[in-house]
Amino acid sequence: MLISIVYDSGYGHTAKQPNAVSEGVRSVPGADSKLIAVADEPIPWDTLELGDGIIFGSPTYNGLISAKLKQFFEDSTKAAWNEFKWRNKIAAGFTNSGAQNGDKLNTLVSMALFAAQHGMIWVGLDLKPGNSGSKGSANDLNRIGSWLGAMAQSNVDEGPEAAPIDSDLNTAAHLGRRVAEIVRQFHLS
């Protein structure tokens, strides 16, 4: 099983999430992952076509995906969409921004709509919101409280060596593991 992780990262913070997602994918027996940074051309379209799933990742800028991921989405029309080469592949997404909210949901919605247009099957985050009760903390999984995908927050005055925090990276790893487990179930059925 191969799951590709297609992502962009402007300042290095978001680049930490695909590594965590990849660890989660590889924790499932028989699953492997391939990191594909959209800034590193050329895009291996054949790998994306042959794989079992694609997890998309982007920083949230002004409530939107990055321009580089948007360009990848547009380029996929000729490379994949015209012939529905990604139909029935599992898809998921993750994002990061400086603000706690930062309109990250809109970024994940954009990814989910893109996946739907390709006939992909979107997988959300199966975690209750963390840090949502009096006994919760920022160390909880899904501390930002998303269901559509993994969200992270990085303080704008800290570099990627300090942010996003471990709980956000562990949430990303959980998403990768979940996608790989679903792909594995499809292979076994």
Side-chain angles (χ1 to χ4, degrees):
M1 300 180 307
L2 177 63
I3 298 166
S4 296
I5 304 163
V6 176
Y7 71 96
D8 185 35
S9 180
Y11 299 98
H13 299 91
T14 308
K16 292 176 72 174
Q17 283 177 286
N19 291 319
V21 170
S22 178
E23 287 176 25
V25 167
R26 291 190 323 262
S27 73
V28 174
D32 198 7
S33 64
K34 175 155 180 68
L35 297 176
I36 300 171
V38 295
D40 299 340
E41 300 256 356
I43 299 296
W45 299 108
D46 56 335
T47 299
L48 295 171
E49 180 181 350
L50 296 174
D52 300 290
I54 305 172
I55 302 172
F56 303 102
S58 174
T60 295
Y61 294 143
N62 303 306
L64 301 168
I65 61 174
S66 71
K68 289 178 184 169
L69 188 66
K70 175 71 166 110
Q71 186 63 59
F72 166 84
F73 283 3
E74 291 180 17
D75 293 346
S76 75
T77 299
K78 184 176 181 182
W81 181 80
N82 284 333
E83 297 177 31
F84 275 108
K85 293 180 178 180
W86 298 347
R87 176 184 278 144
N88 295 329
K89 291 187 186 302
I90 301 297
F94 61 88
T95 188
N96 177 57
S97 72
Q100 279 294 112
N101 181 314
D103 296 319
K104 289 187 272 281
L105 179 60
N106 193 52
T107 297
L108 292 173
V109 167
S110 297
M111 292 176 190
L113 286 171
F114 170 78
Q117 291 170 347
H118 278 268
M120 301 174 83
I121 302 164
W122 188 263
V123 171
L125 197 57
D126 65 336
L127 294 171
K128 291 185 178 178
N131 198 23
S132 62
S134 62
K135 295 180 182 170
S137 79
N139 296 320
D140 293 344
L141 287 180
N142 197 21
R143 71 179 178 112
I144 299 175
S146 174
W147 284 275
L148 196 56
M151 291 183 180
Q153 183 267 331
S154 296
N155 293 331
V156 297
D157 60 347
E158 294 180 317
E161 67 283 349
I165 64 175
D166 286 344
S167 60
D168 290 347
L169 297 176
N170 292 336
T171 301
H174 178 87
L175 179 67
R177 187 171 37 260
R178 176 164 161 72
V179 168
E181 287 170 348
I182 289 171
V183 167
R184 186 167 186 260
Q185 287 175 359
F186 280 131
H187 276 268
L188 294 175
S189 60

